[in-house]
């Protein structure tokens, strides 16, 4: 195990060193008097590329620092006030599904591009860090709570010593699952700012946009490689250390948890009136905002309806793909499942969405959206290790000589249902940001997007129609919130109750 | 001996709804004297844990007062009380040393003093070498030992023990008990003045306590106060000890509430009382019907011929006496056996049950369940009366929750369903959460 870790670390460091040597060649090659033809390759001449890389690096660092500071501040304040925790909890459920990319223009009024990107990217990361801790109270074993009270720990001490450690595994997983979304917003914001103002430098996302505009495939690949390097570096330096300590804090298999009722999805979603009320509120706010804007409401609603079709289509396609893969690999060993889970997760953080400008029609858009979000399904399908009970059920089905399609229909799919439901929920979170980005990217490159919402947003950003921008924000938030909490959560809850094999 | 802590007419209730409370303990008064180990002995549901919560300041009684010495107890007084729970409740992500140190987190001691206290308590509780281990690496006995250390490190005046040995394996529990008594007798836990032990294990109470308060259930009240005449160390095998344990057993079995409920028959001269009783359902224990049937068969075997001494039977079946006791009580409730002076004796119905085939046994069990358990009678009546012969299980749960807590209501319903299935009374659709009559062809 140590050897494997050493090998991986060495591989990463070696790759990083090669990239640094390669991309800094324009500086050291002349000093060493090396071969001129190499020196004239575009690869070594791009000062813009280096500056873009530096900007992105600074933005990533500032985002992560901002996230860390905000989280610590929220925890500090929450430790003292139960009321604040309850308020923040409600706020986080909304903030977690707001399509932040729509705020690019509005935030540009207050912040410069650097802080704009940092704030946009850090927003949901903060939500994902904080939400598990704020929601952990019902999952705290009553005995531990009683024990803490018996030791006369103050409420603040109980928060730091009990709430946060118990929430740690959920927080670490939440952050890891949020990283694909983080990069979508980070690079998407840079790309968008570069589109709005090509004269200025906006990091690697902007560099990618410029290369696309100049039909520069080498530059495009260069930028993509640099982005991959960033992603791998952040994963290795910031995210992986979180996972090393999960085992210490994981109490899910502890006997202490026997008194904790597994609330599943119901508690997180609130009552149907609350959910419906918030959805209607955002719809109302969007109507109010559009009334101050230039767009006509029917056009916007039609675009929204098209967006819903795209939303359903991409989720359905990814769901279908992983139903097949999940069914085919349902009996695989723990080792295979671990590797598959890791691979699925890696595939989800690849910035595949940067290929949207190359697309020309709706079908391709649905396909690429499905490819972008499918990683969440994979991570869910392979979430559990090899399960003897599940394998024995399939074995019994074979021995009963059930027809192949019956085994799929009656055994495999029901066994997979809870994982697929969870995957659908996870995949749906970044989908509206992706839809808007896809629309904007395809519109800017002359493609025909499935939904016009992105196109409308892009024209509003260019023309500075803030009312319409806020209108689109509220409309898409209403869609996102309503679909998530009025459709997906109840569906997942039902599937979880009906088909779960484990408590 | 002076009173350290005194409860005066304390009543505790669990809140069921805005209009309704379930009384857990009612007008309980007793005192904990300095220099004694007081035992609170009673079955599950007799309010022992609720009383310990009141005594530790974790909960307030709905009525009554608590005195520390001769004045009303304040928050500062409760800081001199430590409690050890049934499960060790150690923080799994902290090492043993860190768990013990956590108990001093709320104190105003400096780091050096904390380290000193932790080191001292680790030494006297025999936890040397385990300081850097995590709870998951240790046995339950060691974890509970750590929980005790965590309670003692605060140097309390009073320690409350809520069935601390219940979940430990036999030898480990015995070892820990002995060590605790030794530390107490040698006064190595200064400034500890008293301990209170809540337990349902009679032998354990007699082994450890200087005075035992026997509690009845529903609601919890003190039935007897029994001073224990033995000095430490006590010998289980001693004849006087065994005789004393038998005496306590007799006292406990004599006042089993299930006996009085089962005795209520159609000939009762107090029909109005019977009506009230029919609406009051008892909490059923989480007992498998197969285990009950198995016990009846063992009793009816040639070797025992329908009669056995409870402790001997427990040993024969490799069970603890306290696991066997609820089985015996349930058989008594169903009139398949009766408990008498520490023995369990098959009744005539029980003998017929043993000799019968599967159908005969089902019929006998059906009759016994319907006669003894008002809950099953009510459910069966509802199912008979309804045209579709089904009823929502949630409805039954609501009825049960009027007289017992949510957890007991769920447990009672689960047990009732399992028993009813065996007897062919009704069945349960888990998906629809409905009870229904089986097809009785």
């Amino acid at each position: 195990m140590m050897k494997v870790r050493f090998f991986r670390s060495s591989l990463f460091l070696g790759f990083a060193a090669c990239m640094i040597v390669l991309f800094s060649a324009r500086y050291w090659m002349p000093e060493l008097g090396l071969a001129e033809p190499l020196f004239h390759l575009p690869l070594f001449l791009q000062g813009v590329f280096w500056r873009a890389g530096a900007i992105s690096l600074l933005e990533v660092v500032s985002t992560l620092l901002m996230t860390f500071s905000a989280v610590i501040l929220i925890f500090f304040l929450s430790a003292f006030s139960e009321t604040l925790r309850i308020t923040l909890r409600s706020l986080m459920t909304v903030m977690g599904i707001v399509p932040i990319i729509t705020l690019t223009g509005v935030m540009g009024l207050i912040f410069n591009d650097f802080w704009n990107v940092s704030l946009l990217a850090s927003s949901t990361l903060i939500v994902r860090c904080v939400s598990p801790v704020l929601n952990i109270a019902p999952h705290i074993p009553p005995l531990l709570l009683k024990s803490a009270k018996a030791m006369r720990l103050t409420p603040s001490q109980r928060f730091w010593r009990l709430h946060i450690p118990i929430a740690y595994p959920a927080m670490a997983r939440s952050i890891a699952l949020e990283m694909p979304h983080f990069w979508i917003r980070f690079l998407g914001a840079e790309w968008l700012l570069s589109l709005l103002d090509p004269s200025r430098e906006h990091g690697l996302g902007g560099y990618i946009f410029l290369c696309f505009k100049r039909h520069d495939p080498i530059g495009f690949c260069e930028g993509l490689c640099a982005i991959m390097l960033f992603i791998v570096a952040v994963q290795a330096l910031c995210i992986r250390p979180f996972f090393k300590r999960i085992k210490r804090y994981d109490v899910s298999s502890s006997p202490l948890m026997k008194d904790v009722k597994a609330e599943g999805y119901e508690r997180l979603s609130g009552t149907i009136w609350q959910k419906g009320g918030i959805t209607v509120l955002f719809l109302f706010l969007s109507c109010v905002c559009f009334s101050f804007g230039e767009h006509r409401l029917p056009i916007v609603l039609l675009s929204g309806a098209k967006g819903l079709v795209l939303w359903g289509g991409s989720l359905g396609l990814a769901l279908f793909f992983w139903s097949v893969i999940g069914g085919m690999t349902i009996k695989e060993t723990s080792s295979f499942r671990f590797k598959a889970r890791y691979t699925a997760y890696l595939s989800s953080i690849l910035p595949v969405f940067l290929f949207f400008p190359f697309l020309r029609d709706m079908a391709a858009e649905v396909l690429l959206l499905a490819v972008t979000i499918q990683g969440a399904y994979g991570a869910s399908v392979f979430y559990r290790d090899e399960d003897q009970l599940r394998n024995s059920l399939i074995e019994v089905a074979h021995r009963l000589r059930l027809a192949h399609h019956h085994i799929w229909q009656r055994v495999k799919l029901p066994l997979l249902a809870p994982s697929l439901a969870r995957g659908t929920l996870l995949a749906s979170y970044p989908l509206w940001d992706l839809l808007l980005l896809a629309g904007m990217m395809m519109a800017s490159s002359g493609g025909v997007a499935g939904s016009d919402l992105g196109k409308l947003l892009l024209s509003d950003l260019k023309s500075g129609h803030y009312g319409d921008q806020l209108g689109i924000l509220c409309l898409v938030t209403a869609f996102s919130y309503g679909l998530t909490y009025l459709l997906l959560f109840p569906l997942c809850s039902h599937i979880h109750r009906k088909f779960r094999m484990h408590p | 001996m002076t009173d350290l802590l005194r409860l005066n007419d304390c009543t505790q209730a669990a809140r069921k709804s805005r209009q309704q409370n379930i009384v857990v303990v009612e007008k309980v008064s007793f005192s904990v004297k300095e220099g004694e180990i007081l035992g609170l002995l009673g079955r599950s549901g007799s309010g022992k844990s609720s009383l310990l919560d009141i005594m530790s300041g974790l909960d307030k009684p709905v009525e009554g007062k608590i005195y520390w010495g001769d004045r009303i107890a304040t928050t500062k007084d409760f800081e001199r009380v430590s409690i050890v729970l049934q499960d060790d409740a150690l923080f799994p992500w902290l090492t043993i040393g860190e768990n013990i140190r956590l108990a001093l987190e709320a104190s105003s001691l400096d780091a050096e003093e904390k380290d000193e206290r932790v080191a001292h308590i680790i030494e006297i509780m025999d936890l040397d070498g385990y300081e850097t281990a995590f709870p998951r690496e240790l046995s339950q006995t060691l974890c509970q030992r750590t929980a005790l250390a965590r309670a003692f490190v605060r140097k309390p005046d009073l320690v409350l023990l809520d069935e601390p040995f219940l979940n430990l394996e036999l030898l480990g529990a015995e070892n820990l008990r002995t060590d605790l008594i030794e530390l107490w007798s040698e006064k190595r836990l200064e400034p500890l003045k008293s301990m209170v032990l809540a337990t349902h294990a009679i032998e354990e109470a007699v082994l450890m306590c200087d005075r035992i308060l026997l509690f009845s259930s529903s609601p919890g009240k003190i039935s007897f106060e029994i001073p224990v005449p033995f000095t430490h160390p006590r010998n289980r095998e001693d004849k006087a000890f065994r005789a004393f344990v038998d005496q306590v057993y007799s006292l406990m079995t004599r006042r089993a509430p299930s006996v009085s409920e089962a005795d209520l028959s159609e000939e009762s001269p107090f029909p109005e009382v019977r009506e009230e009783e029919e609406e009051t359902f008892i909490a059923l224990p989480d007992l498998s019907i197969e285990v009950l049937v198995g016990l009846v068969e063992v009793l009816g075997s040639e070797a025992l011929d329908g009669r056995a001494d409870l402790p001997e039977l427990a040993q024969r079946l490799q069970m603890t006496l306290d696991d066997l006791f609820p089985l015996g009580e349930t058989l008594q409730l169903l009139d398949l056996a009766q408990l008498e002076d520490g023995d369990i004796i098959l009744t005539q119905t029980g003998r017929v049950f043993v000799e019968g085939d599967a159908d005969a046994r089902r019929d006998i069990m059906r009759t016994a369940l319907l006669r003894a358990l008002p809950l099953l009678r009510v459910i069966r009546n509802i199912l008979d009366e309804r045209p579709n012969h089904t009823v929502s299980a949630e409805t039954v749960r609501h009825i049960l929750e009027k007289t017992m807590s949510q957890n007991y209501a769920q447990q009672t319903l689960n047990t009732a369903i399992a028993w009813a299935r065996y007897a062919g009374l009704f069945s349960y659709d888990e998906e629809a959460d409905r009870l229904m009559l089986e097809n009785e062809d």
Side-chain angles (χ1 to χ4, degrees):
Chain A
M1 192 65 182
M2 290 291 293
K3 278 188 187 168
V4 169
R5 272 194 230 153
F6 180 73
F7 175 72
R8 275 196 207 145
S9 305
S10 311
L11 199 63
F12 169 68
L13 286 170
F15 172 72
C18 286
M19 289 297 111
I20 291 170
V21 163
L22 201 63
F23 291 134
S24 65
R26 66 189 292 268
Y27 295 108
W28 56 261
M29 274 184 117
E31 300 293 322
L32 295 176
L34 285 175
E36 274 198 344
L38 275 174
F39 186 68
H40 288 296
L41 280 174
L43 185 66
F44 305 113
L45 288 174
Q46 299 290 342
V48 171
F49 169 74
W50 287 105
R51 282 196 294 279
I55 290 170
S56 284
L57 178 64
L58 285 172
E59 281 170 351
V60 165
V61 170
S62 79
T63 305
L64 294 174
L65 283 173
M66 205 184 303
T67 304
F68 179 77
S69 309
V71 165
I72 293 295
L73 179 66
I74 292 173
F75 283 166
F76 182 76
L77 294 171
S78 301
F80 293 103
S81 170
E82 175 71 31
T83 314
L84 181 64
R85 265 182 253 162
I86 294 168
T87 312
L88 280 174
R89 202 157 55 213
S90 310
L91 199 61
M92 293 296 155
T93 32
V94 176
M95 276 184 65
I97 48 112
V98 168
I100 283 286
I101 209 81
T102 51
L103 282 174
T104 313
V106 172
M107 286 175 65
L109 285 176
I110 310 165
F111 303 104
N112 65 23
D113 293 345
F114 181 91
W115 292 110
N116 201 348
V117 172
S118 299
L119 283 166
L120 285 176
S122 66
S123 57
T124 43
L125 204 52
I126 294 169
V127 169
R128 296 290 174 243
C129 286
V130 165
S131 293
V133 177
L134 297 178
N135 287 314
I136 200 63
H139 300 277
I140 296 176
L143 265 179
L144 280 187
L145 195 57
K146 190 172 177 180
S147 174
K149 287 179 183 173
M151 287 188 280
R152 320 294 165 183
L153 296 181
T154 61
S156 170
Q157 286 170 328
R158 288 202 292 270
F159 182 80
W160 287 104
R161 290 298 215 150
L162 202 53
H163 288 230
I164 291 180
I166 291 182
Y168 182 88
M171 191 166 68
R173 287 187 196 110
S174 183
I175 292 169
L177 288 171
E178 177 58 20
M179 289 315 288
H181 202 180
F182 168 81
W183 291 113
I184 289 169
R185 288 182 171 178
F186 182 84
L187 296 167
E190 283 185 340
W191 184 93
L192 186 56
L193 288 169
S194 190
L195 174 67
L196 295 174
D197 187 359
S199 62
R200 292 161 70 177
E201 285 168 343
H202 294 100
L204 286 169
Y207 181 77
I208 293 269
F209 167 72
L210 288 175
C211 292
F212 173 75
K213 276 287 175 203
R214 288 200 307 254
H215 304 288
D216 178 3
I218 293 177
F220 188 88
C221 293
E222 210 176 76
L224 212 52
C225 286
I227 286 169
M228 284 308 306
L229 191 64
F230 270 122
I231 290 173
V232 170
V234 167
Q235 282 296 125
L237 296 171
C238 302
I239 306 302
R240 270 189 73 199
F242 269 112
F243 279 84
K244 286 184 182 169
R245 296 174 74 82
I246 275 188
K247 196 179 166 191
R248 178 172 173 162
Y249 295 99
D250 191 358
V251 298
S252 55
S253 53
S254 163
L256 291 165
M257 295 303 285
K258 70 177 186 299
D259 292 325
V260 177
K261 285 180 195 165
E263 293 183 319
Y265 297 93
E266 287 97 344
R267 192 197 165 270
L268 289 175
S269 50
T271 67
I272 196 156
W273 295 112
Q274 285 169 339
K275 292 178 271 189
I278 292 173
T279 308
V280 167
L281 175 67
F282 275 106
L283 281 172
F284 173 73
L285 286 173
S286 69
C287 293
V288 169
C289 293
F290 281 131
S291 66
F292 290 106
E294 305 286 319
H295 296 312
R296 287 163 57 195
L297 197 56
I299 295 172
V300 174
L301 288 175
L302 184 63
S303 303
K306 285 187 191 174
L308 286 171
V309 170
L310 274 177
W311 180 90
S314 50
L315 280 177
L317 193 56
L319 176 68
F320 173 75
F321 174 73
W322 277 104
S323 301
V324 171
I325 299 292
M328 287 165 61
T329 56
I330 199 166
K331 286 177 73 176
E332 293 295 338
T333 59
S334 296
S335 158
F336 173 88
R337 297 182 79 79
F338 175 76
K339 287 175 191 160
R341 187 163 69 233
Y342 196 63
T343 308
Y345 175 69
L346 285 179
S347 74
S348 69
I349 57 173
L350 290 175
V352 174
F353 67 94
L354 290 171
F355 289 94
F356 277 127
F358 293 103
L359 303 180
R360 286 290 168 262
D361 57 39
M362 187 172 164
E365 187 185 357
V366 170
L367 186 62
L368 194 60
L369 280 170
V371 167
T372 311
I373 60 171
Q374 53 75 37
Y377 281 98
S380 289
V381 162
F382 293 115
Y383 181 65
R384 288 206 177 273
D385 289 332
E386 188 181 6
D387 189 328
Q388 291 302 331
L389 180 59
R390 194 165 50 189
N391 291 353
S392 60
L393 284 174
I394 296 168
E395 189 61 36
V396 162
H398 281 294
R399 282 169 193 258
L400 289 170
R401 300 185 196 280
L402 291 181
H404 199 58
H405 68 273
H406 273 138
I407 293 178
W408 270 85
Q409 190 187 340
R410 296 293 211 155
V411 183
K412 288 187 178 181
L413 286 178
L415 287 172
L416 282 172
S419 305
L420 291 171
R422 183 169 174 266
T424 305
L425 202 53
L426 291 171
S428 70
Y429 285 131
L431 199 44
W432 286 103
D433 272 319
L434 275 170
L435 277 168
L436 291 168
L437 263 177
M440 288 191 281
M441 284 175 163
M442 288 173 75
S444 70
S445 66
V448 177
S451 159
D452 296 325
L453 276 177
K455 192 172 162 189
L456 290 173
L457 180 62
L458 185 60
S459 74
D460 293 333
L461 285 167
K462 282 180 174 172
S463 54
H465 292 150
Y466 298 106
D468 286 321
Q469 288 174 40
L470 287 172
I472 292 177
L473 167 73
C474 293
L475 181 68
V476 179
T477 303
F479 284 158
S480 181
Y481 191 90
L483 285 167
T484 303
Y485 291 107
L486 289 171
L487 176 64
L488 290 180
F489 260 100
L491 188 61
C492 290
S493 170
H494 172 73
I495 290 172
H496 180 78
R497 221 175 21 242
K498 185 165 175 162
F499 295 108
R500 74 170 186 267
M501 296 284 290
H502 302 274
Chain B
M1 286 195 283
T2 52
D3 289 349
L4 182 64
L5 181 80
R6 183 162 54 90
L7 269 66
N8 192 21
D9 279 345
C10 285
T11 299
Q12 185 60 291
R15 197 169 191 85
K16 283 309 303 158
S17 63
R18 281 189 191 163
Q19 295 83 29
Q20 194 184 14
N21 287 334
I22 296 175
V23 178
V24 178
V25 287
E26 192 173 21
K27 293 203 179 301
V28 165
S29 299
F30 65 90
S31 59
V32 182
K33 300 189 191 307
E34 285 188 19
E36 73 166 355
I37 302 178
L38 175 67
L40 308 181
L41 181 62
R43 282 192 303 248
S44 300
S46 55
K48 306 186 296 292
S49 295
S50 301
L51 282 172
L52 292 190
D53 287 345
I54 291 170
M55 291 160 77
S56 62
L58 292 177
D59 211 353
K60 286 194 173 118
V62 297
E63 275 176 31
K65 291 199 181 351
I66 308 152
Y67 293 87
W68 185 267
D70 50 8
R71 54 182 173 75
I72 300 272
T74 61
T75 315
K76 275 230 169 291
D77 296 320
F78 288 125
E79 283 176 17
R80 291 145 82 177
V81 179
S82 283
I83 185 167
V84 178
L85 303 172
Q86 197 169 298
D87 289 315
D88 49 77
L90 298 179
F91 286 29
W93 52 87
L94 298 178
T95 61
I96 297 304
E98 286 167 350
N99 262 291
I100 297 172
R101 205 171 199 279
L102 186 67
L104 300 173
E105 180 116 334
S107 71
S108 52
L109 300 171
D110 61 35
E112 221 178 282
E113 278 174 324
K114 286 181 187 174
D115 289 338
E116 211 181 288
R117 274 212 203 174
V118 169
H120 173 69
I121 206 71
I122 283 175
E123 194 202 321
I124 66 171
M125 292 299 295
D126 266 342
L127 288 168
D128 290 309
Y130 295 109
E131 300 93 321
T132 54
F134 287 96
R136 62 177 173 269
E137 300 174 61
L138 305 182
S139 65
Q140 267 193 296
T141 310
L142 274 172
C143 289
Q144 193 65 307
R145 195 178 275 270
T146 308
L148 283 164
R150 193 171 62 174
F152 292 133
V153 79
R154 295 176 66 236
K155 298 210 172 179
D157 288 351
L158 173 64
V159 164
L160 310 173
L161 306 166
D162 189 358
E163 308 210 58
F165 312 109
L166 179 68
N167 294 324
L168 306 184
E169 45 95 19
L170 223 58
L171 288 175
E174 192 59 36
N175 189 25
L176 191 53
R177 227 179 266 125
T178 312
D179 286 350
L180 185 58
I181 293 296
E182 208 174 285
L183 287 169
W184 167 258
S185 306
E186 293 170 6
K187 298 194 189 316
R188 292 174 68 193
L189 297 169
E190 295 288 296
L192 184 64
K193 292 177 183 157
S194 307
M195 289 201 287
V196 176
L197 172 69
T199 180
H200 67 266
I202 300 174
E203 267 196 44
E204 181 175 282
V206 175
L207 197 66
M208 290 186 66
C209 303
D210 301 309
R211 185 163 59 103
I212 298 172
L213 300 176
L214 206 54
F215 280 81
S216 60
S217 305
S218 308
K221 286 184 188 179
I222 298 176
S223 310
F224 298 98
E225 182 176 334
I226 312 165
V228 179
F230 310 113
T231 55
H232 289 295
R234 296 170 190 172
N235 185 359
R236 281 179 198 278
E237 306 307 321
D238 188 58
K239 275 188 186 168
F241 185 95
R242 294 249 57 93
F244 193 84
V245 168
D246 278 343
Q247 247 183 16
V248 177
Y249 255 113
S250 301
L251 287 173
M252 270 190 89
T253 53
R254 186 195 303 173
R255 24 147 233 94
S258 54
V259 174
S260 60
E261 183 146 338
D263 275 345
L264 283 172
S265 61
E266 286 174 9
E267 289 79 39
S268 168
F270 306 107
E272 63 279 10
V273 170
R274 181 161 45 99
E275 268 179 37
E276 281 175 25
E277 288 291 345
E278 280 177 358
E279 288 171 4
T280 307
F281 303 116
I282 55 166
L284 296 177
D286 182 18
L287 291 178
S288 154
I289 197 79
E290 285 79 21
V291 173
L292 286 170
V293 170
L295 181 58
V296 174
E297 286 178 348
V298 165
L299 280 172
S301 63
E302 271 187 34
L304 296 176
D305 194 29
R307 186 181 189 118
D309 175 55
L310 275 170
E312 277 174 23
L313 183 61
Q315 203 168 11
R316 185 194 186 96
L317 299 174
Q318 295 183 332
M319 294 169 78
T320 63
L321 197 48
D322 301 303
D323 289 332
L324 184 59
F325 202 63
L327 289 172
E329 282 193 320
T330 307
L331 290 180
Q332 184 169 243
L333 176 68
L334 298 174
D335 198 33
L336 295 174
Q338 63 190 64
L339 298 171
E340 214 176 86
D341 295 330
D343 284 358
I344 180 167
I345 309 159
L346 267 188
T347 58
Q348 186 56 32
T349 313
R351 287 181 188 276
V352 172
F353 184 91
V354 167
E355 286 157 17
D357 61 10
D359 286 336
R361 285 182 176 189
R362 196 166 289 128
D363 289 338
I364 293 171
M365 187 59 78
R366 184 193 289 212
T367 310
L369 287 172
L370 285 173
R371 187 191 52 79
L373 297 178
L375 172 64
L376 291 181
R377 273 203 305 276
V378 164
I379 294 174
R380 183 64 198 226
N381 286 343
I382 293 172
L383 289 171
D384 283 336
E385 282 163 14
R386 290 200 174 184
N388 59 358
H389 302 298
T390 73
V391 66
S392 165
E394 193 60 36
T395 309
V396 178
R397 265 184 224 106
H398 280 309
I399 296 171
L400 288 171
E401 283 170 13
K402 287 179 187 172
T403 50
M404 60 185 77
S405 69
Q406 206 174 8
N407 285 343
Y408 274 129
Q410 185 61 47
Q411 181 185 289
T412 300
L413 184 58
N414 289 345
T415 304
I417 289 169
W419 292 2
R421 271 186 166 139
Y422 173 85
L425 273 171
F426 54 81
S427 61
Y428 172 63
D429 181 350
E430 197 196 5
E431 261 190 40
D433 197 29
R434 296 190 77 83
L435 305 167
M436 58 192 64
L437 278 184
E438 286 186 329
N439 191 354
E440 293 175 349
D441 287 333

